[in-house]
Amino acid sequence: MDILDLTITQLHDGFVKKQFTSVEVTKAYLDNIKKTDSEIGAYLSVTEDLALAQAKKADKIIASKKDFPSLTGVPCSIKDAILVEGEKCTAGSKMLENYIAPYDATVIKNLKNNGAVILGKTNMDPFGFGSSTENSAFKVTKNPHDKTRVAGGSSGGSAASIAANEACYALGEDTGGSIRQPSSFCGVVGLKPTYGAVSRHGVFAYGSSLDQIGPMAKTVEDAKIIFKVIFGKDPLDATSVDYKFSNQESSMKGMRIGVPKEYFAKGLDPEVEKIIKNAINRAKENGAKIVDISLPNLKFALACYYVIAPSEASANLARFDGIKYGLSEQAGKDLLDVYVKSRGKGFGAEEKRRIMIGTYALSSGYYDAYYKKAEEVRQLIKQDFQNVFEKVDVIFCPVSPVPAFKIGEKADDPLLMYLADIYTISLNLAGLPGLSLPAGKIDKLPVGLQIIGNYFEENKILSVAGLMEKMLL
Amino acid sequence: MISKEEVLGIAKLARLELSEKEVEKMQKDLSSILDYFNLLKKAPKFTKGKQEDKTQIETTTREDKIIEKPASLANNLVQSAPDTQERYIKVKNIF
């Protein structure tokens, strides 16, 4: 038995039975990071001192208590957009290269209250702007299944850290697919919760009407454990809502699974299609009712998203002014010079591109044609999903039209890169929850099945995903 | 293709310094992305359906009272600023 292969549940069991200590497990992970991460590039910083201190604390709790939370002593990685007090938090951008987090994000507080061990901060596209981590100001994360390929993005470091046995689980953040797509590429389970399910306090904002933090893990059961620790109302995030997680388990018998025809159209890799269709067939064999559905406005989702997300991003990134925190360029004669030069120097190509698109779309004269129109189209997309969820319990479709692509393949064409998000962004626009479940492989490249549920029905998604996980083993 | 002047105008609004080369690349990239946005014109008009909106976010306000926070938090926040003097953040002249 290799300690690094164990899930959260198995590690917890081992702690209960005193088979190993959290310090031993943490050291095993830290050793493996030292051995393999120079090749993978999952981490931007390894928080060794913090991890060992937390592990020692966890071991005391484990030794003295009969009952302790499932996450106690279990080592995890955190996307570098999320603040961990006293540790560097770069959000993958040069703008924040030397920024030290002044406080803990609410999700981090929750993890710490549960005795979590934080191994480090993972690589990402700056502020979440990208689908491959190639935009990171620091390095490209390699896919552990094939190091010539991307790990996906923007939470590519988080996904790769799990797939490379450099963390037992991770937190990611999803604005247009940033949890689900790297999970699909790296063969791990990733959940993007309903908008409002998890507090975003202490996370660098990208698109405030789209962003959600979620768990990434080896198994569905693990993802559920993490989700139950992080969801809920937070007075520090006005968009977070109070909601009760139902533990009710679903059965495949009679489950109405919607299959949207628009997801199986031109552009879908036939090998990916085969794997997803196989998963749908397995569900059918086990008693599920497959319902053909249509989301007619899906074809506008990508254009809609790439108006709304950069618009919100351009507003959110206005806070980086070289005055309050982050990179500052003091040469120049006045305050305006500090703003303009600090931003010019601190932001990379993709950050600049999105700020420019957003500023353009929001500027007087263009606002109605772009932003207002996109908000209207967003309502159409939302309505499509609401109509469909009157007829089905969950939706099955691919996470990405293709498996992990080659490093550099799409790096020079921003529009081609944006198209990588085509199957995931509609959920963020609608605010719906979705999960990526490993469903098969093309040679050595994992392919994820996307399971979409109705608002605040994470329990149903996780339950169905748990059933599918067993069927697809 | 959008003009150089237009790019510089937006960059000014965005408080963003761009190099000569960046302006050129931005002209090209922005043009192709904005062309793609034209797809939205083909979308039908939105009319409100019968469904209730389950994502409805309510405006929340909190009581107007002082919440005690540890002094270390304020210190941490001020310390993050690039240029400080005692507990103040220093800025350059506005003009």
Side-chain angles (χ1 to χ4, degrees):
Chain A
M1 175 200 69
D2 188 343
I3 245 175
L4 300 178
D5 289 328
L6 301 182
T7 64
I8 295 175
T9 317
Q10 288 165 337
L11 281 176
H12 182 74
D13 205 39
F15 293 146
V16 171
K17 292 183 182 144
K18 311 275 188 275
Q19 287 168 336
F20 38 70
T21 65
S22 174
V23 169
E24 283 164 14
V25 176
T26 303
K27 280 186 174 160
Y29 271 110
L30 289 167
D31 282 349
N32 197 42
I33 293 170
K34 273 178 204 144
K35 242 187 304 179
T36 57
D37 203 51
S38 55
E39 246 188 295
I40 302 290
Y43 284 92
L44 287 175
S45 55
V46 178
T47 54
E48 183 165 349
D49 293 345
L50 175 70
L52 287 171
Q54 286 174 327
K56 276 181 201 146
K57 215 172 126 193
D59 279 334
K60 275 189 195 146
I61 295 169
I62 291 165
S64 63
K65 283 189 189 160
K66 228 165 55 190
D67 268 341
F68 52 90
S70 300
L71 293 185
T72 305
V74 181
C76 67
S77 69
I78 306 291
K79 186 177 187 177
D80 206 25
I82 303 172
L83 302 182
V84 177
E85 187 177 339
E87 302 297 340
K88 253 192 203 182
C89 191
T90 71
S93 173
K94 212 175 155 216
M95 182 58 96
L96 292 164
E97 191 169 6
N98 299 308
Y99 179 64
I100 308 288
Y103 54 89
D104 278 329
T106 298
V107 287
I108 298 301
K109 270 194 191 134
N110 293 340
L111 289 189
K112 284 184 174 175
N113 288 340
N114 276 265
V117 172
I118 296 170
L119 294 166
K121 309 294 297 293
T122 53
N123 194 22
M124 57 183 285
D125 293 295
F127 301 101
F129 303 164
S131 313
S132 66
T133 79
E134 287 168 293
N135 293 331
S136 164
F138 307 107
K139 56 179 158 189
V140 178
T141 301
K142 318 280 194 311
N143 192 310
H145 299 275
D146 176 349
K147 294 183 193 84
T148 65
R149 291 175 187 266
V150 301
S154 67
S155 312
S158 289
S161 72
I162 302 168
N165 274 348
E166 295 178 7
C168 181
Y169 71 95
L171 288 188
E173 185 261 349
D174 190 313
T175 303
S178 288
I179 287 174
R180 290 159 286 155
Q181 187 252 26
S183 294
S184 174
F185 283 9
C186 292
V188 304
V189 176
L191 171 70
K192 178 245 171 243
T194 310
Y195 185 75
V198 178
S199 163
R200 289 105 39 98
H201 174 68
V203 182
F204 277 107
Y206 165 5
S208 300
S209 75
L210 306 154
D211 299 341
Q212 264 298 287
I213 297 174
M216 300 165 86
K218 291 176 182 172
T219 64
V220 174
E221 188 183 28
D222 281 3
K224 184 172 168 178
I225 291 169
I226 305 154
F227 179 65
K228 283 166 84 171
V229 167
I230 59 172
F231 78 75
K233 174 105 184 137
D234 174 14
L236 296 171
D237 178 357
T239 62
S240 65
V241 299
D242 205 6
Y243 109 90
K244 306 272 174 288
F245 185 86
S246 146
N247 270 320
Q248 200 187 339
E249 291 295 330
S250 304
S251 146
M252 208 35 101
K253 206 163 167 52
M255 176 70 56
R256 296 168 306 167
I257 297 172
V259 179
K261 64 171 189 221
E262 290 81 3
Y263 273 85
F264 294 87
K266 204 178 125 223
L268 175 62
D269 183 317
E271 293 295 315
V272 173
E273 182 171 358
K274 219 157 88 187
I275 288 169
I276 303 304
K277 288 265 166 79
N278 172 57
I280 294 166
N281 281 335
R282 295 307 310 274
K284 194 176 171 185
E285 285 160 20
N286 282 272
K289 196 174 160 240
I290 308 302
V291 187
D292 290 328
I293 56 168
S294 171
L295 299 159
N297 293 298
L298 200 72
K299 55 182 174 289
F300 305 116
L302 195 74
C304 177
Y305 177 86
Y306 275 100
V307 173
I308 291 172
S311 293
E312 294 184 7
S314 75
N316 275 323
L317 264 54
R319 75 195 60 188
F320 297 101
D321 54 5
I323 305 292
K324 297 186 286 291
Y325 56 94
L327 186 141
S328 183
E329 184 59 57
Q330 294 284 338
K333 57 181 191 329
D334 57 17
L335 194 58
L336 186 63
D337 264 352
V338 177
Y339 296 158
V340 170
K341 289 187 193 306
S342 300
R343 292 164 66 77
K345 201 173 163 191
F347 290 135
E350 189 58 30
E351 291 125 290
K352 285 178 180 165
R353 198 145 45 221
R354 299 214 187 188
I355 290 171
M356 292 290 284
I357 298 168
T359 307
Y360 185 90
L362 293 174
S363 62
S364 138
Y366 298 105
Y367 179 86
D368 282 3
Y370 292 106
Y371 189 75
K372 201 169 157 232
K373 181 71 192 170
E375 279 296 343
E376 266 179 44
V377 173
R378 182 181 194 168
Q379 294 305 318
L380 290 171
I381 292 163
K382 208 165 150 182
Q383 207 169 47
D384 279 357
F385 277 109
Q386 284 171 333
N387 288 335
V388 159
F389 276 117
E390 286 180 1
K391 288 179 281 193
V392 303
D393 296 298
V394 288
I395 297 171
F396 277 17
C397 57
V399 172
S400 163
V402 290
F405 44 86
K406 289 263 185 199
I407 291 167
E409 192 181 319
K410 298 175 199 273
D412 289 331
D413 185 343
L415 197 55
L416 196 65
M417 186 68 92
Y418 295 172
L419 284 163
D421 300 334
I422 194 139
Y423 293 157
T424 47
I425 48 167
S426 53
L427 274 70
N428 300 76
L429 290 169
L432 289 164
L435 178 142
S436 175
L437 178 76
K441 279 185 177 178
I442 304 171
D443 298 326
K444 52 190 172 180
L445 299 178
V447 170
L449 166 72
Q450 184 167 219
I451 305 176
I452 307 170
N454 209 341
Y455 297 104
F456 301 109
E457 290 193 350
E458 279 80 2
N459 63 318
K460 200 183 269 179
I461 295 179
L462 288 161
S463 179
V464 169
L467 294 169
M468 290 305 299
E469 192 178 42
K470 283 187 205 108
M471 278 176 219
L472 295 169
L473 269 183
Chain B
M1 182 128 117
I2 93 170
S3 69
K4 190 179 161 187
E5 287 68 36
E6 233 178 325
V7 168
L8 289 172
I10 303 160
K12 197 179 164 199
L13 286 174
R15 300 280 188 265
L16 204 55
E17 187 174 73
L18 297 178
S19 69
E20 197 64 40
K21 236 173 120 185
E22 282 176 320
V23 171
E24 254 176 64
K25 178 99 167 58
M26 206 63 86
Q27 276 181 274
K28 204 176 121 251
D29 289 350
L30 247 52
S31 297
S32 71
I33 294 163
L34 291 171
D35 278 348
Y36 182 68
F37 289 170
N38 284 327
L39 182 64
L40 292 174
K41 286 183 189 151
K42 293 188 186 147
K45 234 186 123 45
F46 172 70
T47 44
K48 211 176 169 333
K50 55 179 169 28
Q51 304 93 341
E52 68 166 319
D53 190 350
K54 290 184 185 162
T55 55
Q56 203 71 60
I57 308 271
E58 283 170 27
T59 305
T60 48
T61 53
R62 67 168 175 83
E63 227 180 306
D64 187 16
K65 65 174 187 195
I66 295 166
I67 299 167
E68 290 294 334
K69 295 269 182 189
S72 62
L73 178 62
N75 279 333
N76 287 351
L77 290 170
V78 175
Q79 285 312 311
S80 306
D83 202 3
T84 56
Q85 189 173 329
E86 293 166 35
R87 292 190 65 209
Y88 297 95
I89 294 171
K90 268 175 81 176
V91 294
K92 270 191 198 296
N93 292 344
I94 293 172
F95 301 110

